[in-house]
């Protein structure tokens, strides 16, 4: 995607064969006191550019941990995480922050907008990290709000918006720096069925029309159905799911192998 | 939109709490301003004192009299250039609340001793021509609504007139003096010593204290000792000291003002550190998720630290600035109202600058720990608080 097109239209859904995400033999162990608690063990995952992948699994299965590793919010205990060609597990804290600002858009369960700022100012927050001119920032905010269908609500404060609209503003904020990868952690978890469907429609459109690669963690099978592929994570293992919800291929990937 | 937008948003997040913290800091700096003014008022005498002037008083107390003849004796002492005398009159004009300092002086000697005082030539001549003539400071004249030519009756409390019982002394205001030194007492009422000495019912030839000008300020202790030696074992021994030491000693009669003011300010600012520090700590604690979000969006840890620190500095510095502005406003009101009691009551530019510097430092100290906490937050853990 070019700067002139923050949402991007260059790549279609699954059009490219190059991997956007390449997780190789990753493990992540936390410590509870002195007791090690392994959450992910020797896990591998490959996502193609332009893919929309849903990640499901029970609470505590490591979905968010995996998402954090791919988004550069956490570091693996072992293995490699390569996103967009960058081995992000090797980057320093500072470089990793810069990489996130340029390459990843975050959508959370709650929109987490700053209550004192208008919608358009919330969307503009990631642009504080750029050297764009005020005019370019303005243009990007306008485009991002247009994509999520909230051009007319830019001046409104979060409390003046519905839950669905707030989540749309959150998505616009994720898009404004034109990242190639969107990571969504339970993006519909706090919304009713109708609003959830609208948000999912928007994510599908971003994937299909703007070529965004999307990794979505969800508990909701209906939401997962909208993705092009669904993986199930349980006991630190990944399995491919069918759209009828059945786990088709329980697999444990050796290091370096891809799903 | 800039980083300041984020700082402003953070401060507006809990408006009531921010307002209360802001107000407490404003009042702290207002107190700082007022106490600074008071300290200046009490220490002004010492600050504007001339290094080449000594005060010679009775060894026992300021209110014991000395022979006027000492003046000529002192002028004989090597190093002494000139000497003049003053006496506490202590009269009442209309009402005891109209307090101001009155003293008989020898006009020419007084004006020579105090070049800071500005008196029009015409008034000087009138003073020399008029036996009961008096001059008064601008602040006093304005406060009491006098005009040159007015007859000023002053009721005696110490110095009655010979054969006239409790009758008031009557003076004619022949001039108004100004001063070219900030803080110089412009509330004095000065009249002629020869008129006073002839008319008083007792104590003729006795005066309150002497002002002595010396040639070399570096020799002040030596000359002061020589003066005291001259009158040792006489009926009226003297105590001589520099004008600054005399003024400081006079001010300290109400206590060690510097220590009192410093103690109060220490307590006030310690409280402010706790109040504002608690606000900032609480604010960061409540925004852990938000801080995690900023980090996820790409804000580096050091940038987050700077944001929190700037938030703290903005809060305290803005409030401190407002507090100092209010103190200046209060000075404008208090200065004319209290000119009779505190002629040196004003906020010095260096105290204003000190206040603003203190505000910045307080803001940094208040913000440093919350800022470090924000910096150290692990992004993934912080995001769980969203």
């Amino acid at each position: 995607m070019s700067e002139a097109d923050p949402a991007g239209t260059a790549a279609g859904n699954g059009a490219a064969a190059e991997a956007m995400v390449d997780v190789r033999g990753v493990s992540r162990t936390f410590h509870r006191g002195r007791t090690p608690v392994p959450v992910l063990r020797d896990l591998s995952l490959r996502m193609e550019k332009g893919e929309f992948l849903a990640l499901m699994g029970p609470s505590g299965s490591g979905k968010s941990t995996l998402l954090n590793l791919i988004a550069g919010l956490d570091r693996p205990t072992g293995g490699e995480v390569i996103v967009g060609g960058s081995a992000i597990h090797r980057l320093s804290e500072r470089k990793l922050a810069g990489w996130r600002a340029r390459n990843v858009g975050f959508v959370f369960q709650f929109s987490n907008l700053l209550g004192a700022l208008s919608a358009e100012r919330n969307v503009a927050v990631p642009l504080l990290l750029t050297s764009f001119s005020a005019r370019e920032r303005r243009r990007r905010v306008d485009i991002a709000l247009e994509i999520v269908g909230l051009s007319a609500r830019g001046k409104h404060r979060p409390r003046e918006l519905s839950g669905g609209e707030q989540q749309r503003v959150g998505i616009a904020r994720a898009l404004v720096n034109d990242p190639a990868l969107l990571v969504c952690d339970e993006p519909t978890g706090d919304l009713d069925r109708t609003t959830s469907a609208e948000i999912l429609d928007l994510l599908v459109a971003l994937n299909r029309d703007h070529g965004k690669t999307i990794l979505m963690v969800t508990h909701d099978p209906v939401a997962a159905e909208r993705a092009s592929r669904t993986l199930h994570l349980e006991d630190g293992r990944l399995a491919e799911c069918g759209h009828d919800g059945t786990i088709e291929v329980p697999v444990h990937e050796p290091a370096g192998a891809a799903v | 939109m800039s980083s300041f937008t984020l700082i402003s948003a953070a401060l507006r997040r809990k408006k009531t709490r921010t307002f209360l913290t802001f107000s407490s800091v404003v009042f702290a700096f207002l107190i700082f301003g007022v106490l600074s003014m008071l300290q200046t008022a009490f220490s002004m005498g010492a600050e504007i004192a001339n290094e080449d002037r000594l005060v010679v008083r009775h060894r026992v107390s300021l209110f014991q009299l000395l022979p006027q003849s000492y003046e000529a004796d002192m002028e004989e002492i090597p190093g002494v250039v000139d000497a003049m005398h003053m006496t506490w009159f202590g009269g009442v004009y209309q009402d005891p609340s109209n307090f101001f300092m009155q003293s008989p002086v020898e006009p020419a000697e007084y004006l020579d001793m105090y070049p800071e005082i500005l008196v029009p030539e015409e008034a000087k001549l009138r003073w020399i021509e008029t036996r009961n003539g008096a001059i008064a400071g601008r602040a006093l004249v304005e406060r009491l609504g006098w005009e040159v030519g007015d007859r000023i009756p002053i009721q005696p409390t110490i110095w009655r007139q010979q054969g006239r019982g409790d009758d008031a002394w009557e003076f004619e205001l022949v001039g108004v003096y100004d001063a070219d030194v900030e803080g110089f007492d412009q509330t004095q009422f000065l009249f002629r010593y020869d008129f006073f000495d002839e008319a008083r019912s007792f104590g003729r030839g006795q005066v309150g204290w002497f002002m002595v000008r010396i040639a070399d300020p570096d020799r002040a202790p030596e000359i002061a000792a020589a003066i005291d030696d001259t009158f040792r074992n006489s009926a009226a021994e003297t105590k001589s000291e520099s004008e600054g030491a005399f003024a400081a000693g006079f001010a300290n009669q109400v206590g060690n003002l510097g220590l009192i003011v410093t103690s109060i300010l220490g307590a006030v600012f310690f409280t402010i550190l706790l109040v504002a520090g608690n606000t900032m700590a609480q604010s960061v604690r409540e925004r852990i998720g938000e801080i995690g979000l900023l980090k996820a969006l790409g804000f580096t840890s050091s940038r987050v630290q700077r944001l929190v620190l700037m938030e703290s500095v903005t809060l305290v510095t803005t409030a401190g600035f407002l507090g100092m502005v209010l103190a200046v406003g209060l000075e404008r009101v208090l200065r004319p109202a209290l000119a009779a009691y505190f002629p040196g009551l004003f906020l010095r530019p260096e105290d204003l600058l000190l206040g603003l510097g203190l505000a910045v430092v307080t803001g940094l100290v208040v913000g440093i720990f919350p800022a470090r906490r924000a910096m150290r937050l692990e992004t993934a853990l912080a995001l769980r608080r969203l």
Side-chain angles (χ1 to χ4, degrees), chain A residues 97 100 106 108 112 114 121, chain B residues 1 290 293 295-296 298 386:
Chain A
R100 283 198 303 272
F106 291 90
F108 301 98
N112 294 298
L114 302 178
R121 289 198 154 187
Chain B
M1 181 164 160
E290 197 177 286
L293 174 74
K295 288 188 169 187
L386 281 176

Side-chain angles (χ1 to χ4, degrees), chain A residues 68 73-74 94 97 100-101 106 108 110 112 114 116-117 121 124-126 128-129 137 157 173, chain B residues 1-3 5-6 9 12 290 293-300 302-303 379-380 383-384 386:
Chain A
N68 288 341
L73 297 174
D74 193 10
R94 191 176 187 81
R100 283 198 303 272
F106 291 90
F108 301 98
F110 304 101
N112 294 298
L114 302 178
L117 299 184
R121 289 198 154 187
V125 168
L128 288 174
L129 302 167
R137 289 182 185 186
R157 296 281 173 87
R173 180 179 62 194
Chain B
M1 181 164 160
S2 65
S3 294
T5 312
L6 291 181
R12 283 180 287 151
E290 197 177 286
L293 174 74
L294 289 178
K295 288 188 169 187
L297 293 178
F299 284 71
T300 59
S302 56
R303 185 158 185 159
T379 311
L383 283 171
R384 289 185 193 170
L386 281 176

Side-chain angles (χ1 to χ4, degrees), chain B residues 96-259:
Chain B
S97 63
N98 289 331
F99 171 82
F100 54 90
M101 194 262 192
Q102 307 125 25
S103 175
V105 295
E106 296 190 30
E109 288 190 351
Y110 183 85
L111 295 175
D112 277 352
M113 185 63 69
Y114 288 99
E116 305 94 311
I117 279 188
L118 307 173
V119 183
E121 285 302 320
E122 188 188 344
K124 285 182 189 172
L125 288 175
R126 286 274 297 146
W127 201 12
I128 290 165
E129 287 168 2
T130 312
R131 270 180 64 75
N132 67 338
I135 62 167
R138 174 82 54 199
L140 179 67
V141 168
E142 287 177 356
R143 179 162 64 94
L144 296 175
W146 292 342
E147 286 179 9
V148 172
D150 281 359
R151 302 221 162 248
I152 314 292
I154 296 192
Q155 197 66 39
T157 58
I158 307 166
W159 302 107
R160 285 170 180 78
Q161 296 175 81
Q162 196 172 17
R164 296 185 61 180
D166 286 339
D167 286 359
W169 291 70
E170 192 168 281
F171 301 100
E172 181 185 338
L173 188 67
V174 296
V176 179
Y177 74 79
D178 294 285
D180 63 358
V181 174
E182 181 83 64
F184 190 91
D185 187 357
Q186 292 191 40
T187 66
Q188 294 183 99
F189 185 83
L190 305 167
F191 51 92
R192 280 172 51 167
Y193 174 76
D194 54 351
F195 169 63
F196 164 74
D197 196 44
E198 278 174 27
R200 62 177 159 177
S201 60
F202 69 97
R204 195 162 296 175
Q206 302 282 306
V207 297
W209 66 91
F210 294 92
M211 300 302 302
V212 176
R213 183 184 296 121
I214 55 176
D216 181 3
D218 291 339
R219 291 183 57 215
E222 178 195 330
I223 296 170
I227 292 172
D228 292 344
D229 284 346
T230 303
F231 305 113
R232 198 172 304 284
N233 298 322
S234 70
E237 294 191 342
T238 59
K239 180 179 178 185
S240 307
E241 57 195 338
S242 70
E243 191 178 28
F246 173 78
F250 195 74
N252 281 339
Q253 285 178 2
V254 292
N256 187 338
L257 274 167
L259 182 65

Side-chain angles (χ1 to χ4, degrees), chain A residues 63-74:
Chain A
K63 303 185 297 295
S64 294
T65 302
L66 181 56
L67 180 135
N68 288 341
L69 291 175
I70 292 170
L73 297 174
D74 193 10

